[in-house]
Amino acid sequence: PHIKLKFNIDHPSYEECYMFGYECALSEVAEEENPFREGSQESEQWLEGWWAGAYGEQPLFDLNHADAEERHLRGQIAANDQQY
C-alpha cells in the first residue's frame, strides 16, 4: 500500500491535476504557482482547471463521484449503497 500511495502522489491522474488547478483558482492561488513541469500534460490539465475555476465555470470532473464509482468496481461498496 505504501508504494501505491507514493506512486499516486508522484503521478496524479489528469482528473486530479484538473481539480487541483480548479481548487487553486477558487483559493486565489496565482496561475504562476502551477506545481507541474511546464509543457507536461499534468501542467496543461492544471491550467485548464485553474481557468475554469477563475471564470466560475462548473468543473469537468466530480472526483467524489469518481471515487465512489471506483470503489464500486473494486467491490468495496454495494450496488445500492447510495440509494435509500
Side-chain angles (χ1 to χ4, degrees):
H2 298 293
I3 292 173
K4 185 176 179 182
L5 174 63
K6 177 148 177 54
F7 181 80
N8 287 335
I9 291 171
D10 293 342
H11 305 282
S13 69
Y14 295 148
E15 292 86 359
E16 291 170 329
C17 294
Y18 176 92
M19 289 305 297
F20 183 47
Y22 187 86
E23 292 167 355
C24 285
L26 296 180
S27 300
E28 299 180 3
V29 172
E31 179 184 5
E32 294 80 25
E33 298 297 318
N34 186 339
F36 300 103
R37 183 178 47 84
E38 187 175 336
S40 68
Q41 269 303 103
E42 290 88 354
S43 175
E44 295 298 320
Q45 291 301 315
W46 189 91
L47 286 171
E48 288 289 326
W50 190 91
W51 281 106
Y55 281 107
E57 299 173 4
Q58 291 294 319
L60 293 178
F61 307 103
D62 179 10
L63 288 184
N64 293 330
H65 177 70
D67 290 342
E69 208 171 277
E70 183 179 321
R71 286 193 311 270
H72 173 70
L73 292 175
R74 289 185 293 175
Q76 292 182 348
I77 60 174
N80 64 350
D81 193 33
Q82 302 302 317
Q83 297 174 0
Y84 303 100

